[in-house]
Amino acid sequence: MSGALWDITALAVDAAVADTAMAARARTALPQAQETALAPGDPLPTAPAGGRVLHIKAHKGRFLRPCPATRHYRCCGYQIIHIGENCPMDCSYCILRAYFRDKTLTAFANTGAMFAELAETFGRDISRPFRVGTGQFADSLALEPITGHTRELLGFLADYDNVTLELKSKTADLTWMAANPRPDRVLPAWSLNAPAIVAGQERDTAALETRLAAARTCAAAGFRVCLHFDPICFFAGWEREYAAIIDMIFDYLSPADIAYMSLGSFRCLPELPGRLTAEGRELPDYMLGEFAVGADGKKRLLRPLRVRQFRFMVAHLAGHGFSRGLYFCMESDEVWRAVFGHTPRELGGLAAYLLDCARNPGG
C-alpha cells in the first residue's frame, strides 16, 4: 500500500508548524484530505468517512531518547530519534495498541529543533559512535511519501560520520534513497514473521516477498540490511512456518548482505488482549497459551518454550550460513546462555557488538 493511501481523510496542522516544508509536502501528498488549522488548545477534528487523521505538529520534548528497556533484560543499546507516533498498519500484536488509544497519526514538523538537539549530541564528540533509529513509536517509513521526514533526516546526517541510522519498516518504501545517503551509514531494516502470522495478523503491511525484494534492491545498491523477528509467535505448526520464512530470506539475500538480525519472543502489556476484544477482533491462537508476567510487567511466553523456539531459529539460520550478528531483543542472560552458550557481556557488550556488525562486515 502506498503511504499516500492510508485512509487519511483529515489533515490537522498546528499553527506553529503551518509554514514548514513538511506541512507543505503533506498538503501536496493528500490533496483530498480535509485540512484543519489548529490553534493552541483546539481539539483534533474527526476524520470524514471513517478514515484517519494525520496531525502535523511540533514536538516539545526530547527528540533523542534511549530505547524503553528494563534492567532485567538485555537491551541492544539502540537510541530512538522520535519523528512521530502511531502506525497506519494493523498488527494484532503491536505494542502501540496499548500506547495509543485512537487511530490518529502524528508527525513532528519542527525539524529545526530536532536537528539542533541532534547536532549538539552527535557533534559533542565525533569519535563517539551512535546507532540510532526511528522505528520505535512509529514505522520508520510508512508516512515517508507524505512527510519526507527521513529524507530530511538523511540530509542532516550527511555531516555526521559517527552516526549509523536504522530505518525499520513493514512497508517496501524506498523513496528515502532519493536523498543519496551513504550506504555505510544507513541500515534499511524490515520486520518479518511467519507467513501465517503475516497473512492473518499483519493487516495493511507489505507482503513478505515485497519486503524482501526491497531488501534485495538495497543490498544491490551497497546497503547492508537488518531483519527483525519480533515477535516470534507460538502456535500449531510454528516450526514449519518459521522455517519457510527463513528459507525465503536466503532466496533474496546472502548472509553477507545482513548486518544483524534480532529474535524476540511474543510479549505484551496485560491489557492488549482486552484492547483487541474491544475492537471486535478475535484473539489469535498465539495469545491463548500459558504466559508468565516478566520482570518488565509484560506477559511472556514461558521460558522453556521461548528457548525451544530460539534454538530452532538459530539452528535454521546457521544452516543457511548466518550466525554473526544474531541477537535477542529483551532477554535475560539465562536465555542467552541456554541458546548461544554465552552472554552479551562476553561479546564485549551488545551495543558495541551490533555496531561492529553494522560497520565491519564479516569481522
Side-chain angles (χ1 to χ4, degrees):
M1 178 177 291
S2 168
L5 298 175
W6 293 114
D7 294 327
I8 297 172
T9 57
L11 179 62
V13 182
D14 284 4
V17 294
D19 296 328
T20 60
M22 186 181 298
R25 288 193 293 267
R27 294 184 187 104
T28 299
L30 301 169
Q32 304 305 316
Q34 179 178 298
E35 182 175 350
T36 302
L38 295 179
D42 284 352
L44 284 172
T46 301
R52 297 177 182 273
V53 178
L54 173 59
H55 187 191
I56 306 293
K57 63 180 290 187
H59 179 53
K60 297 180 180 179
R62 298 283 297 178
F63 285 95
L64 186 67
R65 56 180 69 182
C67 180
T70 170
R71 64 185 179 87
H72 301 285
Y73 302 109
R74 293 295 183 182
C75 177
C76 70
Y78 171 83
Q79 293 194 61
I80 303 157
I81 299 178
H82 199 38
I83 63 168
E85 296 176 343
N86 221 338
C87 180
M89 291 171 274
D90 186 13
C91 300
S92 62
Y93 53 74
C94 186
I95 196 168
L96 298 184
R97 287 186 174 302
Y99 288 166
F100 307 116
R101 293 179 177 272
D102 58 31
K103 297 171 64 177
T104 300
L105 305 169
T106 301
F108 300 137
N110 55 329
T111 53
M114 178 173 74
F115 296 152
E117 178 188 327
L118 297 181
E120 196 279 329
T121 301
F122 298 154
R124 187 180 305 137
D125 178 2
I126 60 173
S127 68
R128 177 188 174 188
F130 289 86
R131 184 173 62 90
V132 301
T134 53
Q136 185 70 27
F137 297 104
D139 184 279
S140 288
L141 298 171
L143 297 181
E144 179 61 16
I146 298 171
T147 66
H149 219 153
T150 299
R151 280 162 286 172
E152 275 196 73
L153 179 58
L154 289 169
F156 164 78
L157 290 176
D159 294 330
Y160 294 90
D161 290 347
N162 57 327
V163 179
T164 301
L165 174 67
E166 181 177 339
L167 301 172
K168 185 177 179 182
S169 186
K170 288 193 183 80
T171 75
D173 180 76
L174 298 179
T175 57
W176 55 270
M177 295 179 75
N180 295 315
R182 284 177 51 178
D184 62 340
R185 290 295 178 266
V186 178
L187 296 168
W190 281 271
S191 295
L192 303 177
N193 219 305
I197 295 296
V198 172
Q201 307 300 327
E202 295 187 359
R203 297 175 181 172
D204 297 330
T205 64
L208 286 172
E209 295 85 352
T210 306
R211 297 180 214 179
L212 289 170
R216 181 172 59 192
T217 297
C218 291
F223 296 89
R224 297 182 70 232
V225 305
C226 303
L227 303 175
H228 299 285
F229 282 99
D230 195 354
I232 299 169
C233 300
F234 191 84
F235 57 95
W238 65 265
E239 298 99 327
R240 178 186 65 253
E241 288 284 320
Y242 282 105
I245 177 56
I246 290 173
D247 292 343
M248 189 187 303
I249 288 170
F250 297 100
D251 290 336
Y252 290 83
L253 300 168
S254 71
D257 292 329
I258 304 169
Y260 52 76
M261 186 186 307
S262 71
L263 303 176
S265 181
F266 170 69
R267 56 205 180 279
C268 70
L269 295 173
E271 58 264 34
L272 177 62
R275 293 282 176 86
L276 286 174
T277 301
E279 293 173 14
R281 190 159 174 167
E282 184 177 354
L283 291 184
D285 289 347
Y286 70 85
M287 285 191 187
L288 301 177
E290 294 186 9
F291 297 89
V293 177
D296 56 359
K298 295 178 182 177
K299 293 174 62 177
R300 289 174 166 257
L301 191 66
L302 299 180
R303 188 195 294 175
L305 297 180
R306 301 204 308 273
V307 168
R308 176 182 163 193
Q309 288 195 300
F310 289 149
R311 285 175 172 166
F312 176 88
M313 299 287 286
V314 169
H316 209 74
L317 287 163
H320 285 279
F322 185 83
S323 56
R324 182 177 184 267
L326 191 58
Y327 72 100
F328 294 137
C329 180
M330 303 306 293
E331 281 292 349
S332 65
D333 282 351
E334 289 77 12
V335 170
W336 275 81
R337 289 194 191 96
V339 179
F340 289 129
H342 61 251
T343 69
R345 185 185 300 274
E346 294 165 66
L347 296 172
L350 187 52
Y353 173 68
L354 294 179
L355 192 62
D356 182 63
C357 290
R359 296 195 169 190
N360 299 296

